[in-house]
Amino acid sequence: MKKVLAGQSDVGYPAGMDTTPAVQACSPTAGRRERKKQRTREALVDSAFRLFAQKGFEATTVEEIADAVDVSSRTFFRYFASKEDVLLTFQDEQFTAMKEAFAARPADEPVITALRRASVSVVRACEDGEFGFDPERFGCIQHLMESSPAVFGSSLEHGQKKHAEMTRLMAERMGVDPATDVRPHVVAAVVNGVFHTAFELFSSDILGAERFSDVLSELLRSLEDGINFPAAAVETSSPS
Amino acid sequence: MKKVLAGQSDVGYPAGMDTTPAVQACSPTAGRRERKKQRTREALVDSAFRLFAQKGFEATTVEEIADAVDVSSRTFFRYFASKEDVLLTFQDEQFTAMKEAFAARPADEPVITALRRASVSVVRACEDGEFGFDPERFGCIQHLMESSPAVFGSSLEHGQKKHAEMTRLMAERMGVDPATDVRPHVVAAVVNGVFHTAFELFSSDILGAERFSDVLSELLRSLEDGINFPAAAVETSSPS
DNA sequence: ACGACAAGTGTCACTTCATGACACTTTGAG
DNA sequence: CTCAAAGTGTCATGAAGTGACACTTGTCGT
């Protein structure tokens, strides 16, 4: 189990970092203006997470979020396109980490296998707070997705936006051209779907799994064997 | 190609029906009130489709839609939970048809295969305007999904809402218990994902396919063979 | 150091979606 | 015919999101 994480120490995260990784990392000589902007952004995210956790997603208004940081709600919308958008920051970080972990998988692993090992390692990192991830926020998002359809919906959309990139990654590893070969598209779609289903299975507590990563792992594993299962009442003749 | 449609004449649609199938079908002796309600609903859907096609989704307000039918916008929201909701009526009909077609597939077909044949037949029916489907609306929705993220988003969400039902269907055909077996969940997720990807591939015109149903068919077909493809630069050693 | 320029922000006004409250009309049932 | 319920309109309200414009502050060239 833990073994999956073994080869992943080189995922690409600097060892020591405080709660605001992006500030220093993004632009070393960016000047005060840039830093101020980053601080405001981080403050808004913080404020949003706190209020969401406290009162729920739809119950908190952007005005409250902005007021808590002492900026106008107009400013909030200059940083985030929508209320949901605040949460996507986190998912973006996850996705980036996932890409890196995926790229680091040994070349002899088939796509789904590599994807499973990579994504499970990243999710575990989120759960355990490794590599600068905040398990509090991870849990908060999970809770919000359960309770608020709007959040889950925006997560779906966000996943879709990443679809093209995913497809490219798959195509690269498979060494095929996504413009002529549908298979990388299929793989990307499938994985995206399985991610969200993993979450639903986890939160609806079927399987009684302790951790999201375990559900995800199991689902992806089942993908590796092919899924065109025979119908029930039929002799086990292999599908044509 | 056309052969796929062969066994599907018994999908369950009455032969002769005008543009408002639900009116007579739903409640034979429902009284005037019920009929009036249905007419208003249909009128709203009509009006919405017309305006969406004409001015685009976000450019038309619910007030315009309602005004065109001479009801207040308040009334609109008594029929539909949101502006997007109007479009989901159509998708519901599609989904229902798909379920029936799926149930009618011979018992010796594996899940994905049956699903492919069933769904492709339904989509073809939409494209060709068979069984009471309106190809105009089908095309309109496709166009709206391309141009308006909100529509695509709500379609995603709607698909997710149908997920539980899909899972049940899969589990039934596979003869397993969805409470203990993850495979039907995986299948449902995968299929849902592939549907949306099929649409994206179709509208981005990769593959240069003429019809949506062709793209869908190809994608589902590729699912049937399993998708854990080996990485590129590696000897064709079979995946462990 | 100074001034021009641009970025960031606040304020105000506005549109649209969505919902709650209440009153009026229609319709179905007894 | 009468009454209750369903359907609808009107009014009011709240929150999301956007455009316009002015003010402040950081940045950069001189």
Side-chain angles (χ1 to χ4, degrees):
Chain A
M1 280 292 183
K2 264 290 177 187
K3 192 110 187 318
V4 174
L5 271 167
Q8 290 312 108
S9 317
D10 57 339
V11 165
Y13 288 88
M17 50 168 42
D18 60 19
T19 37
T20 62
V23 176
Q24 296 89 337
C26 261
S27 36
T29 53
R32 174 151 46 201
R33 184 181 281 163
E34 197 66 21
R35 263 173 290 142
K36 209 168 192 173
K37 206 161 61 157
Q38 286 296 341
R39 244 180 296 142
T40 309
R41 189 189 174 84
E42 261 302 310
L44 281 171
V45 173
D46 260 9
S47 161
F49 267 95
R50 204 170 330 111
L51 287 168
F52 289 162
Q54 180 188 319
K55 325 177 25 176
F57 182 77
E58 24 265 321
T60 88
T61 69
V62 309
E63 199 175 0
E64 290 172 308
I65 299 172
D67 277 354
V69 188
D70 205 47
V71 297
S72 76
S73 47
R74 186 71 188 83
T75 296
F76 174 92
F77 284 108
R78 289 201 178 94
Y79 282 92
F80 304 100
S82 69
K83 200 167 67 165
E84 289 86 354
D85 209 36
V86 187
L87 301 169
L88 269 42
T89 304
F90 191 88
Q91 274 184 258
D92 263 339
E93 289 170 17
Q94 259 185 258
F95 184 67
T96 304
M98 219 270 289
K99 279 189 296 183
E100 291 169 10
F102 179 69
R105 296 306 313 173
D108 64 335
E109 283 178 354
V111 262
I112 303 284
T113 309
L115 208 35
R116 171 171 58 79
R117 304 227 238 254
S119 57
V120 167
S121 78
V122 170
V123 173
R124 289 250 164 84
C126 289
E127 290 167 341
D128 300 340
E130 295 171 27
F131 306 128
F133 281 112
D134 183 347
E136 290 240 6
R137 286 192 183 176
F138 187 67
C140 179
I141 288 186
Q142 286 190 323
H143 185 260
L144 287 176
M145 294 231 291
E146 288 174 50
S147 54
S148 163
V151 176
F152 192 73
S154 70
S155 171
L156 280 177
E157 273 196 81
H158 188 251
Q160 207 65 26
K161 276 183 209 142
K162 297 293 176 189
H163 184 89
E165 206 171 346
M166 265 295 250
T167 304
R168 201 178 43 72
L169 280 179
M170 300 303 118
E172 245 167 51
R173 174 167 271 257
M174 293 165 62
V176 301
D177 181 5
T180 59
D181 196 327
V182 294
R183 293 176 304 165
H185 294 94
V186 172
V187 173
V190 159
V191 169
N192 187 34
V194 163
F195 261 71
H196 285 282
T197 297
F199 176 76
E200 289 213 330
L201 278 180
F202 173 66
S203 56
S204 70
D205 206 34
I206 299 177
L207 312 175
E210 289 286 318
R211 317 164 98 206
F212 174 62
S213 55
D214 291 337
V215 182
L216 181 62
S217 178
E218 179 169 356
L219 259 55
L220 285 172
R221 205 180 280 275
S222 83
L223 266 188
E224 293 174 33
D225 307 322
I227 55 174
N228 198 8
F229 303 111
V234 136
E235 316 79 13
T236 42
S237 64
S238 64
S240 72
Chain B
M1 279 294 180
K2 264 290 176 189
K3 192 109 187 318
V4 174
L5 270 167
Q8 289 313 107
S9 317
D10 57 339
V11 165
Y13 288 88
M17 49 169 42
D18 60 19
T19 37
T20 63
V23 178
Q24 295 90 340
C26 261
S27 35
T29 52
R32 174 152 45 200
R33 184 180 284 163
E34 197 65 22
R35 262 172 291 144
K36 209 169 192 172
K37 205 160 64 156
Q38 286 296 340
R39 243 180 296 142
T40 308
R41 188 189 172 84
E42 260 304 310
L44 282 172
V45 174
D46 260 8
S47 162
F49 267 96
R50 204 170 329 112
L51 288 168
F52 289 161
Q54 181 188 320
K55 326 176 26 177
F57 182 76
E58 24 265 322
T60 89
T61 69
V62 308
E63 198 174 0
E64 289 172 310
I65 300 172
D67 278 354
V69 188
D70 205 46
V71 297
S72 76
S73 46
R74 187 67 187 85
T75 297
F76 175 92
F77 283 109
R78 289 200 178 93
Y79 282 91
F80 304 100
S82 71
K83 200 166 67 165
E84 290 86 355
D85 207 37
V86 187
L87 301 170
L88 269 40
T89 303
F90 191 88
Q91 274 183 259
D92 264 339
E93 289 170 18
Q94 259 184 257
F95 184 67
T96 303
M98 219 269 289
K99 278 190 296 183
E100 290 170 11
F102 180 69
R105 296 307 311 174
D108 64 335
E109 284 178 353
V111 263
I112 304 285
T113 309
L115 208 35
R116 170 171 58 79
R117 302 227 239 252
S119 57
V120 167
S121 78
V122 171
V123 173
R124 289 250 164 86
C126 289
E127 289 167 343
D128 299 340
E130 295 171 26
F131 307 126
F133 280 112
D134 183 346
E136 289 240 6
R137 287 191 182 176
F138 187 66
C140 179
I141 288 186
Q142 287 190 325
H143 185 260
L144 288 176
M145 294 230 291
E146 287 174 50
S147 54
S148 164
V151 176
F152 192 72
S154 70
S155 171
L156 281 177
E157 274 196 80
H158 187 250
Q160 208 65 26
K161 277 183 208 143
K162 297 293 178 189
H163 183 88
E165 206 171 344
M166 265 295 249
T167 304
R168 202 178 41 73
L169 279 179
M170 299 305 119
E172 245 167 51
R173 174 167 271 258
M174 293 165 62
V176 301
D177 181 6
T180 59
D181 196 327
V182 295
R183 293 177 305 164
H185 294 94
V186 172
V187 173
V190 159
V191 169
N192 187 35
V194 163
F195 261 71
H196 285 283
T197 297
F199 176 76
E200 289 213 331
L201 277 180
F202 172 67
S203 56
S204 70
D205 206 33
I206 299 175
L207 311 176
E210 289 287 318
R211 318 164 98 206
F212 174 61
S213 55
D214 291 336
V215 182
L216 182 62
S217 178
E218 180 168 355
L219 259 55
L220 286 172
R221 205 180 280 273
S222 82
L223 265 188
E224 294 174 32
D225 307 321
I227 54 176
N228 198 8
F229 304 110
V234 135
E235 316 79 13
T236 41
S237 63
S238 65
S240 72

